[in-house]
Amino acid sequence: MSKRQWNSGLRRWGMVLGLVGTLGLLSGCGRKDGVDAGPRGTAENPWVFGFSQCTLNEPWRVEMNRQVQLAAEKYPEVKLLMANAEDKSERQVNDVENFLAQGVDLIIISPKEAAPLTDIVAKAYKQGTPVVVLDRKVLGEDYSCFIGANNQKIGYQAGLKVKALLAEGGKVVELTGNMSSTPGEERQRGFREAIAEELASGKIEILHDADCDWKEERARSEMEAALAAHERIDLVYGHNDPMAHGAWMAASQQDRAEGIHFVGIDGLPNEGVSYVREGILTATFEYPTGGAEAIDVGLALMKGEPVEKVITLGTRIYTKEIVSARGEAID
Ligand code: FRU
């Protein structure tokens, strides 16, 4: 099937869903106990969106919640329920089950891991509750819309930057995000594709790589181990800014940070971009949360408007030279 056919199929499907939704609205059915019957999508009887967040451990997650909340507040016809799975996939499955039991109109989910959250997302979608998947993917296609930046491409861009920084060759530590979440796998794949030739020739060597589950503390202790084992480290690629920063803390405690480049991802103004400004990170890449887009897409789905299956957000690079100019957009 061509992309256009696929899109127009989706649009038609979206319209059917919209019609079914409207009929449901008119008859007031589909709601479980505790939620008003009657026409929905009004300030008196708003659409209920359940937002399942995987964790609030990192500043980036807090920012995502803020953006989702801010966007929802603009629409009196939307009521937002939020759940925090505290970094546990089983708990996140329960959170979605709870939303379904409450009869929410739509689910927004940023899954901790791909495989463990796939079935519950598919279940919601197949029973007619639209699902917007945000930032980390699930497996398969049983959801309404995925919104997120292209992590493989960000990893690739990070690889190009590393290649330029290590033009004479060098030794690298890669501190990965959770490898059973799609951004971890994609940020590694893109990175290694960009430096494939240098890896093959031995010009660039990855001395140490470890799954630090996106955590600053874990990255700090992995870096301590890497520093103890290797006299020379030229660069650390952290799959997010907290981990790049954790590695920097380990190195600077031993007075070894000066000779090492630290590259991260997320590019929050008060986190990664500040680190770049302070000279802690050599570069970071903005990873937009998609929070506002999720609410807009949710509303479009409620109204039966056409929605693309995948919405890809852009990225920007921040280095010391371009930090004041809001970074630089990357294609
Ligand atoms: C926050 C986070 C970000 C990262 C994203 C990937 O939990 O680890 O730092 O960019 O998730 O999904």
Side-chain angles (χ1 to χ4, degrees):
M1 200 191 289
S2 74
K3 188 159 183 261
R4 177 174 297 172
Q5 280 170 321
W6 171 241
N7 283 340
S8 86
L10 273 176
R11 260 192 283 281
R12 240 175 286 130
W13 183 228
M15 276 182 246
V16 173
L17 274 183
L19 187 62
V20 172
T22 311
L23 291 175
L25 263 181
L26 294 177
S27 64
C29 67
R31 283 272 173 119
K32 307 268 166 59
D33 292 348
V35 187
D36 294 347
R40 294 200 291 275
T42 64
E44 296 72 39
N45 194 8
W47 285 304
V48 180
F49 291 3
F51 171 39
S52 164
Q53 176 62 283
C54 56
T55 174
L56 285 174
N57 280 346
E58 288 78 41
W60 188 87
R61 293 279 152 200
V62 176
E63 179 58 19
M64 183 195 266
N65 272 27
R66 196 183 72 87
Q67 290 182 10
V68 169
Q69 256 168 320
L70 269 182
E73 277 164 16
K74 287 198 289 191
Y75 301 104
E77 67 272 36
V78 171
K79 179 178 167 190
L80 183 67
L81 305 179
M82 295 174 99
N84 169 14
E86 295 181 351
D87 217 25
K88 293 183 189 71
S89 289
E90 321 80 69
R91 165 122 190 225
Q92 194 163 23
V93 171
N94 281 340
D95 289 343
V96 177
E97 290 280 12
N98 282 340
F99 283 148
L100 293 177
Q102 289 173 66
V104 299
D105 295 292
L106 175 121
I107 287 170
I108 301 170
I109 179 169
S110 192
K112 170 162 168 74
E113 294 164 297
L117 273 308
T118 295
D119 285 352
I120 189 67
V121 165
K123 175 180 161 183
Y125 178 69
K126 285 183 182 159
Q127 77 174 46
T129 305
V131 186
V132 178
V133 180
L134 201 52
D135 137 62
R136 300 184 189 173
K137 296 172 187 159
V138 288
L139 307 178
E141 302 246 306
D142 288 329
Y143 53 83
S144 312
C145 175
F146 170 77
I147 304 175
N150 182 335
N151 281 298
Q152 187 271 343
K153 204 151 124 186
I154 295 177
Y156 192 86
Q157 290 296 334
L160 293 183
K161 184 71 194 165
V162 166
K163 210 154 116 165
L165 289 167
L166 302 181
E168 307 300 320
K171 307 208 178 285
V172 172
V173 170
E174 182 177 7
L175 302 173
T176 79
N178 185 321
M179 292 301 278
S180 36
S181 73
T182 52
E185 187 274 317
E186 291 166 354
R187 288 177 192 184
Q188 175 166 85
R189 183 155 39 87
F191 175 67
R192 295 194 180 198
E193 267 166 30
I195 58 168
E197 263 177 41
E198 288 72 10
L199 286 177
S201 69
K203 187 173 168 189
I204 294 181
E205 191 189 345
I206 299 180
L207 294 173
H208 187 99
D209 77 285
D211 185 333
C212 299
D213 195 25
W214 308 110
K215 310 257 185 335
E216 179 164 294
E217 270 314 304
R218 296 260 290 264
R220 188 174 177 161
S221 50
E222 280 300 332
M223 186 63 181
E224 278 162 8
L227 287 163
H230 305 282
E231 235 166 66
R232 177 176 160 202
I233 296 171
D234 300 300
L235 187 143
V236 176
Y237 168 43
H239 284 194
N240 68 0
D241 291 336
M243 294 190 295
H245 184 249
W248 174 84
M249 288 200 293
S252 72
Q253 203 174 30
Q254 299 181 23
D255 277 337
R256 287 180 66 183
E258 279 298 290
I260 305 178
H261 288 291
F262 296 85
V263 174
I265 295 171
D266 277 349
L268 288 177
N270 297 325
E271 195 191 34
V273 174
S274 298
Y275 295 153
V276 170
R277 200 173 284 122
E278 290 162 34
I280 292 172
L281 299 187
T282 306
T284 182
F285 295 82
E286 182 181 322
Y287 185 56
T289 72
E293 289 82 354
I295 295 295
D296 289 344
V297 164
L299 267 169
L301 287 164
M302 289 297 98
K303 293 177 189 164
E305 290 167 7
V307 165
E308 297 287 338
K309 184 88 178 178
V310 174
I311 296 176
T312 306
L313 308 173
T315 187
R316 309 177 79 82
I317 182 170
Y318 289 89
T319 59
K320 204 156 199 176
E321 299 76 52
I322 48 183
V323 83
S324 49
R326 268 216 71 229
E328 192 171 84
I330 292 177
D331 286 332

